[in-house]
Amino acid sequence: MPGIDKLPIEETLEDSPQTRSLLGVFEEDAAAISNYTHQLYQAMERIYNAQNELSAATHLTSKILKEYEKQRFPLGGDDEVMSSTLQQFAKVIDELSSCHAVLSTQLADAMMFPVTQFQERELKEILTLKEVFQISSNDHDAAINRYARLSKRRENEKVKLEVIEDVYTSRKKQHQTMMHYFCSLNTLQYKKKIALLEPLLGYMQAQISFFKMGSENLTEQLEEFLTNIGTSVQNVRKEMDSEIENMQQTIQDLEMAANMLYVPDPDTAKVPVNRNLTRKAGYLNTRNKTGLVSSTWDRLYYFTQGGILMSQARGHVAGGLVMDIDNCSVMAVDCEDRRYCFQISSFDGKKSVILQAESKKDYEEWITTINNISKRIYLSENPEEVAARVNQSALEAVTPSPSFQQRHESMRPPSRGKPRTSVSSISSSTGPESPVLSVPLSSMSLDSIVTPETPIQFDIISPVSEEFAGQAKLSGQPGRRTNPFGESSGTVSDSEDSILHQLFIVRFLGSIEVKSDECPDVIYETMRQILAARAIHNIFRMTESHLLVTCDSLKLIDPQTQVTRLRFPLHSVVLYATHQENKRLFGFVLHIAGGKVEGRPVSVCYVFESNNEGEKICDSVGLAKQIALHAEMDRKTSEKQKEVDKEKERQQKELNKQKQIEKDLEEQSRLIAASSRPNPSSGDGQFLVLTSSQTEDEVGVDGKKKIDSEA
């Protein structure tokens, strides 16, 4: 019968809050039907028990039938047809209120029996199924909570198998009970009409039979009307039987198809992961902090709507906003003692939520779906096709180039291939602007940019490299290891007096050795390689650090311990750039101190993701290099000025020395001239002899002393 809504049996296994809300509507409708049927039963019972009061009882029945249009059935899809039909019955019954009473046996067989059967069998069956469903639902929730508390560090196989078996049994019981409960509620919509129309039809037929079609109130038009109603009831019954058969077949098909889904953590080899989703819904456990170190986990129903993540608890009519996942970042995390945990962070890094999936399949699908939504693939005309194309591009991005394959196939030196001019497209882990990152490459080939067969480093490790350990031996320091970034164990430059201190929050994506450092295409190609490798290998975890930019170095600092993880000397940073489209991605090329391959310095490209601050970081690095350049120029100018001052001082010393020599020569000349004159005589006829070692003043003083002594 058109207009009758029904509960979706296909969604019983998902058991979403929307389905529970719809179930509540059907249960409310069943209660209303039970209440209304009880009133109708009481009215008809009065007809049966009180033949003398038949007129009053039929009048009451007519009154109740007239009040049907005032009832508010939640699923009253065809209320107008039903209301008009019942109004017609009410009119006839009101006219027959003064007629003879119907024989009690006819009333018992044709009127009372259908209503009694509907109440005693159908309504009680629904109440019983409701109680069984509630018990199975509670058992399933308890089993799921016990399964979620399983420890991944101290797994007891016996306990784990018992818990999984408990989840399987309770989920299967809930699913089967829920399907039969839905089937009964859907069937009730048809039986409601039969239970209302069939007793009335029996009552009228009893009246017609009793009066032998001779009653003044029973006209041919009324008989035709009753015939049409009887035909309608038969059609409803046939439609109900057909619908019951279809629902039973659907239940059987779903039981067979969903048998594997009862297991809480199905094998991904048997149930493959769909990585092309742009919409997803399901139950997740969310962590809520209750104190400084304590937290609780709540099980909620999460679903995506466009670029929004929503959550909804059971019993709630609508969902609530969790966060905007456009341009967000998602990564796997280790959280307490739970498996399949991942964290979603907003694009500005101010809000994050930690969720736990039930299985590895859901865990990977949630992460890939949020990644697809973060790239705004859902805005395209065919989102799943675009997502599949992006994933295929990621697969092609990590496929070896022809030169690599030729090297593996033969031992001959590889020949240089044609320049690569195509546009390579990869999926970013957190692309903010466009659904697909298009990285234009220059005319250089892949081999001339990235060193082939070089592994990609996805995590931050100790900066000390064993390949440079021989430098210490060459320098005569056997106990000292050399840092490939220009640091040594005993000399770490202090940047506290630097005039530039800028701190940024970054996440390390990876690093790889490169062969060129001449153009930004090196950084773009490295970004493409690293992001493609992360996408194809499902590497979502990123190490978050604080990047400190100073005038002498770049430092990666642990945000928790404030310990410097890596230090890059600023003079070793030879190239830095932000991605052309995704401004959150940036990278720089670094020369390793002391390392050379084929006469060229060893270069490593590092790629990071920031909170939409890639250009700011590059500007800060550029400013630091300018400040360092000016400082170096000032230092050289100062050193040059010092050399000039030293030269002037040396020249002044030479001049002073020359003047002293000239003065000594002049003094000697004067002494020689004085010695050539006659010597003055003393009083006793003796002469004073002036030696060359005495000065004129000394001679005068000695002569005077001698004269005084003789006197």
Side-chain angles (χ1 to χ4, degrees):
M1 190 174 254
I4 296 180
D5 295 330
K6 61 180 182 179
L7 288 168
I9 301 179
E10 298 82 0
E11 298 179 5
T12 53
L13 181 59
E14 184 180 5
D15 191 19
S16 64
Q18 291 84 352
T19 306
R20 286 295 184 103
S21 299
L22 186 60
L23 175 61
V25 175
F26 273 75
E27 289 176 345
E28 183 181 354
D29 182 76
I33 292 174
S34 177
N35 184 33
Y36 181 78
T37 306
H38 182 67
Q39 295 180 20
L40 185 61
Y41 173 80
Q42 289 180 341
M44 291 183 176
E45 190 178 26
R46 289 189 61 184
I47 297 175
Y48 177 73
N49 294 329
Q51 296 184 12
N52 295 329
E53 298 179 358
L54 180 59
S55 180
T58 52
H59 179 72
L60 179 60
T61 304
S62 175
K63 182 179 179 182
I64 293 176
L65 293 176
K66 290 179 181 179
E67 290 178 353
Y68 177 84
E69 60 182 0
K70 298 180 182 180
Q71 300 295 321
R72 294 295 180 262
F73 295 107
L75 301 177
D78 56 345
D79 281 346
E80 294 183 0
V81 177
M82 195 68 182
S83 178
S84 61
T85 303
L86 294 181
Q87 289 297 326
Q88 184 67 22
F89 274 116
K91 180 180 179 181
V92 174
I93 294 174
D94 190 50
E95 292 176 354
L96 292 176
S97 61
S98 59
C99 297
H100 300 285
V102 182
L103 296 176
S104 59
T105 54
Q106 292 178 330
L107 292 178
D109 295 337
M111 184 178 67
M112 296 301 298
F113 177 76
V115 180
T116 304
Q117 189 179 29
F118 178 75
Q119 281 189 325
E120 295 296 329
R121 188 175 67 179
E122 307 299 336
L123 294 181
K124 286 187 176 180
E125 179 184 358
I126 289 177
L127 291 177
T128 304
L129 286 175
K130 181 179 180 181
E131 294 176 359
V132 174
F133 167 70
Q134 191 63 40
I135 294 173
S136 62
S137 179
N138 294 337
D139 294 340
H140 177 254
D141 291 344
I144 286 295
N145 290 332
R146 185 182 176 191
Y147 172 78
R149 292 194 299 268
L150 281 177
S151 173
K152 67 178 183 180
R153 298 196 183 104
R154 298 175 300 170
E155 288 191 352
N156 188 330
E157 290 297 327
K158 181 178 180 181
V159 174
K160 182 178 178 181
L161 292 176
E162 292 177 357
V163 172
I164 292 176
E165 181 66 21
D166 190 15
V167 173
Y168 175 86
T169 304
S170 60
R171 183 170 290 175
K172 182 176 182 180
K173 180 180 179 181
Q174 180 191 4
H175 186 207
Q176 294 177 348
T177 306
M178 197 172 186
M179 287 190 295
H180 290 287
Y181 186 35
F182 280 20
C183 179
S184 298
L185 289 175
N186 291 337
T187 308
L188 182 63
Q189 301 305 314
Y190 299 94
K191 293 181 178 180
K192 175 188 71 174
K193 300 180 182 301
I194 296 174
L196 291 175
L197 297 178
E198 195 172 25
L200 300 175
L201 180 62
Y203 173 77
M204 297 307 300
Q205 289 176 347
Q207 290 283 1
I208 293 173
S209 176
F210 179 74
F211 289 106
K212 296 181 180 180
M213 303 295 295
S215 176
E216 296 179 357
N217 297 327
L218 302 180
T219 61
E220 294 181 359
Q221 184 178 1
L222 180 60
E223 184 178 358
E224 183 180 358
F225 169 73
L226 296 178
T227 303
N228 294 335
I229 295 299
T231 304
S232 178
V233 170
Q234 293 299 325
N235 293 335
V236 172
R237 187 181 295 277
K238 291 180 181 179
E239 188 176 354
M240 181 190 68
D241 295 338
S242 176
E243 187 66 24
I244 291 176
E245 183 179 357
N246 293 335
M247 288 189 293
Q248 292 293 342
Q249 184 63 37
T250 302
I251 290 174
Q252 294 178 3
D253 295 341
L254 290 177
E255 285 181 348
M256 295 178 61
N259 190 41
M260 187 179 299
L261 300 179
Y262 294 141
V263 180
D265 192 2
D267 188 2
T268 54
K270 298 180 180 179
V271 185
V273 178
N274 189 355
R275 306 185 186 280
N276 305 328
L277 298 175
T278 55
R279 296 177 58 188
K280 185 158 180 67
Y283 281 99
L284 295 172
N285 292 328
T286 178
R287 188 181 74 166
N288 298 319
K289 287 189 176 181
T290 57
L292 294 177
V293 294
S294 60
S295 61
T296 59
W297 293 82
D298 296 329
R299 189 168 184 260
L300 299 176
Y301 186 83
Y302 283 84
F303 58 95
T304 61
Q305 286 187 351
I308 302 297
L309 180 64
M310 309 281 287
S311 67
Q312 185 175 357
R314 285 184 181 176
H316 292 187
V317 179
L321 173 65
V322 177
M323 63 187 301
D324 185 0
I325 54 178
D326 268 348
N327 308 328
C328 74
S329 62
V330 57
M331 60 181 177
V333 294
D334 288 331
C335 189
E336 297 177 1
D337 195 19
R338 289 181 177 245
R339 302 175 296 176
Y340 309 135
C341 294
F342 58 94
Q343 177 175 323
I344 307 173
S345 301
S346 60
F347 72 97
D348 55 2
K350 296 181 179 179
K351 185 175 183 180
S352 63
V353 59
I354 295 178
L355 303 172
Q356 180 194 19
E358 181 178 304
S359 62
K360 183 178 180 181
K361 175 179 179 294
D362 286 344
Y363 164 77
E364 295 186 3
E365 284 186 351
W366 270 106
I367 292 179
T368 53
T369 301
I370 294 174
N371 267 329
N372 292 337
I373 295 175
S374 175
K375 301 172 195 135
R376 298 185 176 180
I377 296 179
Y378 66 92
L379 297 177
S380 56
E381 185 175 351
N382 194 342
E384 292 191 1
E385 182 179 347
V386 174
R389 190 164 60 250
V390 170
N391 291 332
Q392 183 63 29
S393 299
L395 286 171
E396 295 174 355
V398 295
T399 303
S401 64
S403 61
F404 294 169
Q405 296 175 358
Q406 292 171 6
R407 265 195 298 274
H408 288 294
E409 293 173 359
S410 65
M411 299 302 294
R412 296 175 298 175
S415 60
R416 184 175 299 275
K418 295 182 179 180
R420 183 174 180 178
T421 58
S422 62
V423 177
S424 299
S425 301
I426 63 173
S427 62
S428 168
S429 61
T430 53
E433 300 294 339
S434 60
V436 179
L437 283 179
S438 299
V439 184
L441 297 178
S442 66
S443 60
M444 294 189 299
S445 66
L446 180 64
D447 290 349
S448 64
I449 295 179
V450 179
T451 303
E453 302 179 5
T454 300
I456 300 175
Q457 185 68 44
F458 293 110
D459 202 357
I460 296 176
I461 61 174
S462 174
V464 177
S465 177
E466 294 296 339
E467 61 179 300
F468 300 102
Q471 295 180 2
K473 298 180 180 179
L474 297 177
S475 61
Q477 297 177 356
R480 182 175 176 179
R481 302 179 70 186
T482 303
N483 191 317
F485 302 101
E487 299 181 41
S488 61
S489 60
T491 58
V492 179
S493 62
D494 187 11
S495 60
E496 294 298 330
D497 56 348
S498 176
I499 63 175
L500 178 65
H501 281 80
Q502 289 190 344
L503 195 67
F504 302 94
I505 298 176
V506 297
R507 288 170 290 279
F508 180 69
L509 294 177
S511 63
I512 188 173
E513 183 179 341
V514 295
K515 299 175 64 175
S516 173
D517 55 4
E518 299 176 355
C519 64
D521 287 340
V522 178
I523 299 178
Y524 302 154
E525 174 62 19
T526 303
M527 291 178 179
R528 186 182 72 85
Q529 289 277 350
I530 291 176
L531 292 177
R534 279 182 169 268
I536 199 62
H537 296 296
N538 296 326
I539 302 176
F540 304 107
R541 182 175 303 170
M542 295 179 288
T543 303
E544 185 172 284
S545 303
H546 289 171
L547 177 64
L548 178 63
V549 181
T550 64
C551 295
D552 60 346
S553 65
L554 306 179
K555 290 184 178 181
L556 286 179
I557 302 174
D558 191 315
Q560 301 295 331
T561 62
Q562 299 302 313
V563 174
T564 300
R565 290 172 172 168
L566 289 179
R567 179 181 180 273
F568 308 105
L570 194 61
H571 62 82
S572 300
V573 179
V574 296
L575 185 65
Y576 51 91
T578 306
H579 197 276
Q580 294 173 323
E581 296 181 7
N582 187 354
K583 300 304 179 182
R584 299 172 63 180
L585 299 179
F586 74 96
F588 56 82
V589 178
L590 180 77
H591 279 175
I592 302 300
K596 285 190 177 182
V597 176
E598 298 179 358
R600 60 175 178 83
V602 177
S603 302
V604 178
C605 182
Y606 290 83
V607 179
F608 296 87
E609 179 192 47
S610 64
N611 294 333
N612 209 17
E613 295 178 338
E615 291 182 341
K616 292 182 180 180
I617 296 175
C618 289
D619 293 342
S620 178
V621 174
L623 178 61
K625 292 185 73 68
Q626 289 181 5
I627 294 175
L629 178 62
H630 288 299
E632 182 67 19
M633 294 176 62
D634 292 343
R635 185 184 64 79
K636 291 182 178 180
T637 303
S638 177
E639 291 179 355
K640 187 175 182 181
Q641 184 64 35
K642 288 181 180 180
E643 291 178 359
V644 171
D645 293 342
K646 288 182 179 180
E647 182 66 23
K648 287 183 178 181
E649 185 178 354
R650 188 184 62 79
Q651 292 178 358
Q652 185 65 32
K653 288 182 179 181
E654 290 291 336
L655 182 60
N656 293 337
K657 186 177 180 181
Q658 186 68 26
K659 288 182 179 181
Q660 185 65 34
I661 293 173
E662 291 178 357
K663 184 177 179 181
D664 292 343
L665 291 175
E666 182 181 354
E667 188 66 29
Q668 289 179 5
S669 300
R670 189 162 57 84
L671 292 176
I672 293 172
S675 63
S676 63
R677 294 196 299 268
N679 293 329
S681 59
S682 60
D684 56 356
Q686 297 180 349
F687 294 93
L688 294 175
V689 180
L690 297 175
T691 62
S692 60
S693 61
Q694 290 177 319
T695 63
E696 184 178 0
D697 294 336
E698 290 175 347
V699 172
V701 173
D702 292 342
K704 185 176 179 180
K705 289 182 178 180
K706 189 173 183 180
I707 294 172
D708 292 339
S709 62
E710 290 179 356

